[in-house]
């Protein structure tokens, strides 16, 4: 069927959340019919989410190496639903809603909203997760230009088959804790299930490809657990 270049697909998908988060954050009167002062949590969430997708765009252009250059055009609709609607419109609308605590289900004490120490700590964890995710992408990119392909090793790969997914889930968990929003939680669950399926397939592929040479202690996604 009709095909689309994988790089074009990803760039299209990742640009959507950046646009919608900027729109909902800055165009308050247009979206919510009023203007208001964002909370510290909303400001931090906006910064981290836009940086996350800016990093993804950068990696798609300069880092990622693709085995298959094209995918089915049908994949575009799935990516647009996941990124433009779920992590874009849905998350942005509720995260930046005026009086966010009353428009979301609180997952932690409301003290998190005003406790700067908590926000600093969560920001540090997010930075660690994003830098770690970037490092694993560099390792994968270097492996994909080598033939025959060796067993992935190094940062995170000695514990799980897909540390890139693990670190990304950690980053989105931090954003969920910062926003305490049901919208963030639902996206975290959806993204987690999607990445788990992909990690499980890749784990089985590695075991089939490398056989007895593939480390038996290596988990699929979560170190020491599964």
């Amino acid at each position: 069927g009709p095909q689309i270049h994988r790089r074009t697909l990803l760039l299209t998908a990742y640009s959507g959340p950046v646009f919608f988060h900027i729109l909902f954050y800055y165009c308050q009167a247009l979206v919510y019919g009023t203007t208001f002062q964002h909370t510290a949590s909303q400001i931090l969430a906006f910064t981290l989410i836009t940086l996350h997708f800016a990093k993804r765009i950068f990696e798609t252009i300069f880092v990622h190496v693709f085995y298959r250059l094209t995918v089915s055009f049908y994949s575009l609709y799935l990516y647009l639903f996941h990124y433009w609607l779920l992590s874009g419109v849905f998350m942005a609308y509720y995260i930046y809603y005026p009086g966010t605590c009353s428009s979301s289900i609180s997952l932690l004490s409301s003290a998190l909203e005003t406790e700067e120490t908590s926000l600093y700590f969560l920001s540090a964890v997010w930075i660690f997760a994003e830098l770690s995710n970037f490092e694993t992408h560099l390792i994968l990119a270097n492996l994909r230009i080598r033939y025959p392909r060796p067993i992935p090793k190094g940062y995170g790969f000695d514990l799980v088959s897909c540390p890139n997914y693990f670190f990304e889930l950690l980053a989105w968990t931090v954003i969920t804790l910062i926003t305490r929003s049901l919208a963030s939680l639902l996206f975290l669950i959806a993204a987690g299930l999607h990445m788990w399926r992909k990690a499980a397939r890749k784990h089985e592929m590695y075991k089939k490809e490398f056989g007895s040479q593939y480390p038996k202690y290596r988990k699929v996604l979560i170190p020491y657990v599964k």
Side-chain angles (χ1 to χ4, degrees):
Q3 298 286 301
I4 183 173
H5 197 286
R6 188 179 293 269
R7 202 179 307 274
T8 302
L9 171 69
L10 295 178
L11 291 175
T12 302
Y14 299 154
S15 63
V18 174
F19 169 78
F20 287 115
H21 279 269
I22 291 175
L23 174 68
F24 281 70
Y25 186 85
Y26 285 107
C27 301
Q28 302 170 344
L30 176 64
V31 177
Y32 304 108
T34 184
T35 57
F36 54 93
Q37 186 72 30
H38 287 109
T39 66
S41 295
Q42 288 175 322
I43 296 172
L44 180 59
F46 171 76
T47 302
L48 300 187
I49 291 172
T50 51
L51 284 177
H52 170 80
F53 285 107
K55 167 183 164 293
R56 280 196 162 196
I57 292 172
F58 174 85
E59 291 174 332
T60 301
I61 298 173
F62 298 107
V63 176
H64 292 325
V65 177
F66 303 106
Y67 281 129
R68 293 176 55 196
L69 294 181
T70 64
V71 294
S72 170
F73 193 84
Y74 174 73
S75 301
L76 177 63
Y77 300 106
L78 299 178
Y79 274 70
L80 292 182
F81 174 79
H82 183 78
Y83 289 105
W84 285 41
L85 292 183
L86 289 184
S87 64
V89 174
F90 183 59
M91 281 185 61
Y93 179 82
Y94 286 104
I95 287 176
Y96 311 125
Y97 197 91
T100 182
C101 289
S102 63
S103 65
S104 62
I105 293 181
S106 181
L107 304 177
L108 294 176
S109 168
S110 59
L112 180 63
E113 181 63 53
T114 57
E115 181 56 55
E116 290 187 4
T117 303
S118 298
L119 296 181
Y120 288 143
F121 171 75
L122 290 171
S123 298
V125 176
W126 183 88
I127 292 172
F128 163 76
E130 291 288 345
L131 291 177
S132 298
N133 176 263
F134 181 72
E135 176 64 21
T136 59
H137 285 163
L138 289 177
I139 293 174
L140 288 173
N142 290 329
L143 289 177
R144 287 173 179 171
I145 61 176
R146 298 169 60 183
Y147 185 84
R149 179 174 62 175
I151 296 175
K153 295 179 181 179
Y155 195 86
F157 286 96
D158 294 330
L159 297 176
V160 296
S161 293
C162 297
N164 50 321
Y165 296 151
F166 169 76
F167 290 123
E168 180 160 349
L169 283 177
L170 179 59
W172 281 111
T173 299
V174 168
I175 291 174
T176 301
L177 295 177
I178 290 172
T179 63
R180 293 179 289 109
S181 168
L182 179 60
S184 298
L185 177 62
L186 292 177
F187 176 74
L188 175 64
I189 294 172
L193 291 174
H194 176 65
M195 282 186 268
W196 171 260
R197 288 194 296 267
K198 292 177 66 175
R201 288 198 299 266
K202 185 158 291 188
H203 183 73
E204 292 302 318
M205 181 190 71
Y206 284 151
K207 292 198 299 184
K208 182 178 180 180
E209 180 177 354
F210 299 111
S212 60
Q213 295 181 348
Y214 197 69
K216 292 183 173 55
Y217 59 83
R218 192 173 294 187
K219 303 300 183 181
V220 176
L221 181 62
I222 304 176
Y224 306 111
V225 179
K226 185 63 176 176

